[in-house]
Amino acid sequence: MRNEMMYRPVVKPELVAFLRNEQKQLSGELGQIEKEANENEVPIIPHETVVFMQFLLGQIKPKQVLEIGTALGFSSSLMAQYVGEDGHVTTIDRFDVMIRKAKKTYKRLGLEDRVTLLEGQAADILPELTGPYDFIFMDSAKSKYIEFLPECLRLLKKGGVLMVDDIFQGGTILDPIEEIPRNRRTIHRKLKRFLDVINSHPDLTTSLVPLGDGIALITKEADEVIIEPAE
Ligand SMILES: C[S@@+](CC[C@H](N)C(=O)[O-])C[C@H]1O[C@@H](n2cnc3c(N)ncnc32)[C@H](O)[C@@H]1O
């Protein structure tokens, strides 16, 4: 018999509001920074993703963390709370306005020793890093996810977790390409290819989570993971 629950949208707007407003809020300065970013519409992870990340990092207890996409330094500051005295967060951003804001954030939170901000294009910086990282958070230009994936997997330790934000394109990722506006087709195709790869690769275990605009959690099951170029 058909299970009707399978055919209903899982995340109703009122449920999103519940996840966002009723789960534990951040206290202190970091909570203030989250509030200010949301008021000023700076794109930071939504609160349901904050809570999820706190839970996840509390379990994983990573020491070395890498982030692609710093913005004003909110999620990197959150992650810095989970790496301990001997851990470190490295984060990458290319946008000078955000870089200035992120530096202020780290100063405000006293995190200057625990976070390193690398300034420039991730495509240039990633090949220079050696890792390994226990946890990588990719939250940058969506069209680049497929291009950055091999570098992220090279830098991730075996058993480590790669978390990727905003993978559903506001839910349009399942729409046929003809229904996607022409100027969004490249990003649509590249994101679809990214999802195909992470969902089918034999050396990756992936779980897609419908929080925010969708999160992918990817674990690396082999020392070396090769991603074949698209035909
Ligand atoms: C969504 S925001 C990051 C939000 C942040 N992770 C948070 O939740 O606090 C994306 C950031 O990625 C940066 N970015 C996008 N593509 C990039 C690239 N190719 N190289 C470096 N930075 C990039 C943008 O400048 C922007 O500040």
Side-chain angles (χ1 to χ4, degrees), residues 100-118:
R100 278 199 298 276
K101 288 187 188 217
K103 285 181 179 166
K104 277 192 197 151
T105 299
Y106 303 139
K107 194 163 185 202
R108 191 169 157 190
L109 296 168
L111 287 173
E112 287 157 304
D113 292 341
R114 210 174 289 178
V115 182
T116 301
L117 172 51
L118 303 176

Side-chain angles (χ1 to χ4, degrees), residues 43-45 67 69-71 74-75 93-95 120-122 139-141:
I44 61 164
I45 49 171
E67 176 182 67
T70 314
F74 171 68
S75 52
D93 209 292
R94 63 182 175 190
F95 186 23
Q121 292 286 349
D139 187 18
S140 54

